[in-house]
Structure formats: C-alpha cells, structure tokens
Amino acid sequence: MSHPLPVDIARSLNQQWPCRESQVRQLAGLLSPSVPSPSTLVLYGISATCKSTITRAVLSALRVPHAIIRCAECITGRHLLTKILLETLSAVGLEDEWERFGKGKCEHVSTLAVLLADALAPTSGKRVEKFVLVLDGIDKQREAPQMLLSALARLGEVIPVLSVVLILNTTPRPLFLQASGVSHITFPPYTRKEAITIITAAGPPAVDGLSPETASKLYPQFVSTVYDSLVGPTAGTIPSFRSICERLWPRFVEPVVNNETPPGGARDWDFARLLVRNRAMFKQQGEAMLVHHIVPEEGTKQGVVSSSALGRPLKSQPPSLPYFPTLVLTSAYVASHTPSRLDTIFFSKFSSSSLSARNKRSHHRRRLKLLSQAQAEEDRDDPSTPSKKGKRTKTRITKSMLDSAFATTSAATSAAPSGALTGPSTILTARPFTLERLIAIYHAIDPNPPANPIRGPALADSIYAELATLRRLRLVVPASGVNGIGASAASGTSADAGEKWCVNISGDWIDELAKGIGVEIGEWLAGGLD
C-alpha cells in the first residue's frame, strides 16, 4: 500500500492550517510508515501554536495506528498509565480482550512496557508495523513521579514498533529526558504576518447590509489594526485574535451598514474615517483585554461602564493582580532595587545562617543611614538608647524609617534629570535587570515554591508573556526606554541595555500589592525590620 509523501501532506494541510508547512513536513517525514521512526520525538511550544491539531491531522493523513492521550484528563500518574494501556488496546482492536492484559490495570511503567509489548506483538492478532503514542501536555501531568517522563520516553527503545511523541507547552530543559540525541520539533509563536494571514484567510464575518466588495477592502486593514493595538502588546493567541475580530467587526462597519453620512463631505466611508469614528471602541477593548490581569470592574456588563460608575471617584488602593503577575512584578522590583553583586548574599539558599542574616542587616543599616539622618539624630537624643563612648552609634531600622526610604527613593527617581540620578546611591536606587536575574530572584522570594523545582517546568516562556502585559500597563519598561535610569546604570555593566528591564512603580504601591501574596518587600530590601 502506497503512502502519501510528506510534501503532499504539507501541501494539503497548509490550506487548512497555514504557516505550519515546515513543522508538518518534519513531522510527516519522521512518522511516515515507509521509513524508520525515532523512538522518541519531542514537540514543544507555547499554548495555541497548533501542536496537538497538527499532530492529529498528520497521523490521520499518514494512516498510522496511533493513540493520543490528553494528560490533562489524568489526575494521577497511575491513571495516566492505565489510560495509555486502554487507549492502545482500543487503537489496535483489542478492547474486548482487555482482561488478557492485566485486566485493564497498570501500576508501574515497567508493567506498562510488558503489556504494550504483548499488545503490539504480531501474535496478539492484527499485525502492527508501526504504532505512535502521543502524550499531549505531559509536562503538566499532575502527581507524576520524578522519573515518569524519562521512563515513558524509553518505551520506544524497549518496543521496536512503538514511537512516543511528547507534546510540551514549555521549552524543555537540556537533557530533560536523561538522554541525548532526541529529536525535537519547535512550534514557535505566530509572527505578526502569520497571524494576520491566518485571520484574513478565513474571510470577514458576515454582516447584513455590507457588500462583499467593501468587506474585502476594509477587513485586511481592520485585522492589522486589531493586531497592532490589542493582540500584539498583550501576547494574545490566534483564538483570542479571531474572537476579537469577530466581535468588533460588526461594530466597526456599523456606520456603513446604517448609511450614515461620512464626515468631511466624502461620498464613501474609508478605513481612516471608520478608525477615527471607532477610536473609543478600540480604547475600551484595550482595557477589557487586560481584565484577566486586573480585577473586574464592578457595575460593568460586557465591557460597558455605566454613567454612575464613571462619575464616582476611583479608590486610592492599588488594583489587585493574580498571584503569578504579582510575584513577577515583585521580583522585578526587588531585582531593580538590589545591586547584582549582593545576590549571593541575599537570595542564595546557602546564606540562611544567622551570621549571614546579621551581615545583611549590618549592610543595609549602613546604606539606609544616609537616607534617615533625621531619624538617627532622634535616636541618639533618646535617653532609652544611650551610646557608648568610642563606639559608633547603631542605627535602628524602624517601620517609619523604611517608609521614608521608599518615599525618598520614589521622589528622587521620578525627579531625576535625563542621564543622572539624584540623591545618594543606595540599595533602593532603581537599576535595570536581566531576565535571567529576574527568574533567579523569583525562585528565591516565591512564598509557595514547588516541591521539586529541578523537575518543574521552565518559567521563561510564562514570564515573557507576563512581561508583555506588564509593559502594556507601563509597570515594567525596557531599560533603553528609561532615560535617566537606563543611561546611568547601563554604563556600569557589560550587557546590552536593550536586553534589560526596569520597573516603573513606586515602593509604597508594590509594598501593599506584595503583601497580598505573602511577600514582605522590606525583608528582602532591608533584611527585615527590627
């Protein structure tokens, strides 16, 4: 029986799922029944990059026996092993003979290897020349043993006819399978051109009263504007991009449908006039895109704010953020206000002894003393704390002193001219930081760390998405965009300023925000209060 070539499969699937021809060709070439397949294949990329859909379509086009396991549906590692066994028996037509294979139960990976080998053996019934086992979202498996992923990846080495495909939603660590030479196929995020091509290929949504000629003329420009203003800055996905276009397109062309008179004496509505007419809609939708990062507004319904809600003054308390964005923003603030040379002392797991704690307190007292001279004079005048002759007076860090240090730093940073910083160079002076340093500090100050951080998923992809949203809110900005801070601090480092970030928030605001997730910024910036 002849099998389709990878080029033919890529050409046919590209019409339905465009901009994935390279991945389809690689996947079809590695899993083709006419050539030997690798024992393990890893597909990785962030969510909504069409990994699972492309894999399912390629296997169906190749007509290869396969079983696709959605690991998110398995609540334990034992449940996953049992589901793999039952789905494999169903794929090879042995679901009625499940009692022969452990009675449908599997307690360990070694037992799974024996049962799968028996099920795929030629003597079991139907001859299977190649079988593909797809584990979708295996990196998100709940209650998985430490070596489960490595053991599942080696099933193809034990069973010659089996190929295991691992689909990951995060970037894998080097040698995360404890083996080298594993084939990887990456599904990168869609670029601006690819995302616009995918949306425009589906055609504009149908609107009553709008001619197809007008829709085909306005829709490509509308899609480009939606991406530049709403999807790109918020790291949106293709499903959210499509949903926004379908929801806003009828409202965007409403003046054309209602036969309203264009401004300026023009005969027809062009895209520029429609864009000016609907600029309030884009502004409102841009705020609604960040609702999942900010608390929902009370008194709103479907993004429409009532007039009484607009007339009320805003509360002074800061808006709430979910746990992960709050911890990322807190880590960014600590990284921006702590010198990098002190990272080993303050954030290393090996500096938790009492001596290191005293060293941290002593260092911060000397640095904060310059910001609280008035408070120090009051302490020296206080008879309850007499000073001994010949010894330096010890500065006691209090809550008011720390608050004044936060206020002094915020005022000095905001009032600093371009290219210079005012005030003394203290630990509370904002400095640019790199993404690698942000991730390290994130792990150090996380109040709920994972049980096994070494085996946990990589956070770089998730933090990049949150940084895009925080940048949209102007809470975190690139260091190259901060004139004073970026120019002065970048001169003391060798890294490129374009790869660094800097916070754009005040200390009192982030202090209240961090307390909501159980993080005391004062403990990391001042070594704790006395």
Side-chain angles (χ1 to χ4, degrees):
M1 183 178 63
S2 61
H3 300 281
L5 297 177
V7 178
D8 299 333
I9 296 177
R11 188 181 299 110
S12 61
L13 295 181
N14 190 49
Q15 299 177 359
Q16 188 174 3
W17 294 283
C19 305
R20 282 291 180 255
E21 184 177 359
S22 176
Q23 287 76 14
V24 171
R25 187 176 301 178
Q26 297 178 50
L27 195 59
L30 292 175
L31 300 180
S32 176
S34 58
V35 296
S37 299
S39 58
T40 307
L41 178 62
V42 177
L43 311 181
Y44 67 94
I46 62 175
S47 59
T49 51
C50 220
K51 300 182 297 296
S52 304
T53 306
I54 292 295
T55 303
R56 187 184 301 271
V58 169
L59 292 176
S60 300
L62 291 173
R63 297 188 292 273
V64 177
H66 61 278
I68 299 179
I69 311 299
R70 293 180 54 86
C71 299
E73 300 175 354
C74 303
I75 58 177
T76 60
R78 183 181 301 176
H79 185 196
L80 174 65
L81 299 179
T82 303
K83 189 175 181 63
I84 291 175
L85 176 61
L86 296 179
E87 291 293 335
T88 303
L89 295 178
S90 177
V92 297
L94 297 177
E95 62 272 16
D96 296 334
E97 304 179 15
W98 57 273
E99 294 185 354
R100 291 174 44 198
F101 305 94
K103 296 185 178 181
K105 296 182 180 180
C106 187
E107 305 290 339
H108 197 267
V109 181
S110 59
T111 306
L112 177 65
V114 175
L115 296 177
L116 289 182
D118 294 341
L120 300 177
T123 57
S124 299
K126 181 180 177 180
R127 180 178 179 84
V128 179
E129 298 180 357
K130 178 180 294 187
F131 188 85
V132 179
L133 176 63
V134 181
L135 302 178
D136 189 3
I138 186 62
D139 55 334
K140 302 295 184 180
Q141 175 61 44
R142 290 171 288 184
E143 298 185 14
Q146 183 176 1
M147 302 304 296
L148 175 64
L149 189 59
S150 301
L152 292 176
R154 281 170 169 76
L155 289 177
E157 301 176 2
V158 179
I159 306 173
V161 299
L162 180 64
S163 294
V164 181
V165 178
L166 306 177
I167 300 180
L168 312 179
N169 293 322
T170 57
T171 303
R173 300 173 180 270
L175 297 178
F176 75 108
L177 296 177
Q178 308 298 327
S180 59
V182 179
S183 302
H184 288 64
I185 299 179
T186 176
F187 283 72
Y190 291 101
T191 61
R192 178 183 182 275
K193 181 179 179 181
E194 292 174 346
I196 294 176
T197 301
I198 293 173
I199 300 300
T200 54
V207 178
D208 295 337
L210 184 65
S211 61
E213 295 79 7
T214 305
S216 60
K217 179 181 178 182
L218 297 176
Y219 193 67
Q221 303 178 65
F222 169 77
V223 172
S224 302
T225 304
V226 169
Y227 184 90
D228 295 335
S229 59
L230 301 178
V231 179
T234 57
T237 60
I238 295 296
S240 63
F241 189 13
R242 182 181 294 107
S243 175
I244 294 172
C245 292
E246 293 176 353
R247 186 170 61 253
L248 297 185
W249 174 247
R251 298 172 56 186
F252 184 79
V253 297
E254 186 176 354
V256 181
V257 176
N258 296 336
N259 295 324
E260 299 181 10
T261 303
R267 297 181 54 185
D268 299 325
W269 286 92
D270 57 0
F271 179 77
R273 290 183 174 86
L274 288 174
L275 183 61
V276 173
R277 177 68 177 272
N278 294 278
R279 60 179 180 270
M281 179 189 68
F282 279 93
K283 180 180 178 181
Q284 178 183 348
Q285 185 64 27
E287 297 174 354
M289 284 290 294
L290 301 174
V291 165
H292 65 290
H293 291 281
I294 307 177
V295 292
E297 297 177 335
E298 297 181 359
T300 61
K301 183 178 180 181
Q302 295 182 356
V304 180
V305 185
S306 61
S307 58
S308 59
L310 292 175
R312 294 194 301 265
L314 296 176
K315 298 181 180 180
S316 58
Q317 62 181 4
S320 301
L321 300 176
Y323 178 84
F324 185 65
T326 302
L327 188 55
V328 172
L329 186 60
T330 304
S331 305
Y333 186 85
V334 174
S336 185
H337 291 80
T338 303
S340 58
R341 64 180 183 275
L342 303 178
D343 288 349
T344 305
I345 300 176
F346 299 145
F347 307 113
S348 175
K349 300 299 182 181
F350 298 98
S351 62
S352 58
S353 61
S354 58
L355 179 60
S356 298
R358 289 196 299 268
N359 291 337
K360 289 193 293 184
R361 289 175 180 267
S362 176
H363 174 80
H364 284 291
R365 287 192 180 97
R366 292 194 300 269
R367 304 294 283 178
L368 286 176
K369 186 176 181 181
L370 299 176
L371 293 175
S372 56
Q373 296 179 357
Q375 182 70 26
E377 292 176 0
E378 294 178 2
D379 291 340
R380 286 196 295 269
D381 296 338
D382 190 357
S384 61
T385 57
S387 60
K388 296 182 179 181
K389 185 177 181 181
K391 293 186 178 181
R392 186 177 62 182
T393 303
K394 178 181 178 181
T395 303
R396 182 177 180 83
I397 299 178
T398 60
K399 179 63 177 177
S400 60
M401 183 184 302
L402 187 62
D403 293 339
S404 64
F406 276 118
T408 304
T409 305
S410 302
T413 304
S414 61
S418 177
L421 290 174
T422 61
S425 178
T426 66
I427 60 169
L428 297 181
T429 300
R431 298 174 175 84
F433 57 89
T434 59
L435 178 64
E436 292 78 6
R437 189 163 175 259
L438 172 63
I439 297 176
I441 294 179
Y442 174 93
H443 287 291
I445 70 174
D446 187 3
N448 301 306
N452 192 351
I454 298 179
R455 303 292 300 179
L459 290 174
D461 299 332
S462 302
I463 290 181
Y464 263 128
E466 294 300 335
L467 281 179
T469 302
L470 296 176
R471 181 182 179 182
R472 174 72 173 177
L473 294 171
R474 298 294 297 172
L475 299 177
V476 176
V477 295
S480 57
V482 183
N483 295 330
I485 299 177
S488 60
S491 60
T493 58
S494 58
D496 185 10
E499 300 177 356
K500 295 187 176 182
W501 300 81
C502 193
V503 294
N504 192 30
I505 52 178
S506 60
D508 51 355
W509 187 87
I510 189 62
D511 188 29
E512 297 181 9
L513 197 65
K515 288 180 180 178
I517 61 173
V519 177
E520 290 287 345
I521 293 186
E523 296 181 0
W524 299 100
L525 293 182
L529 301 178
D530 291 332

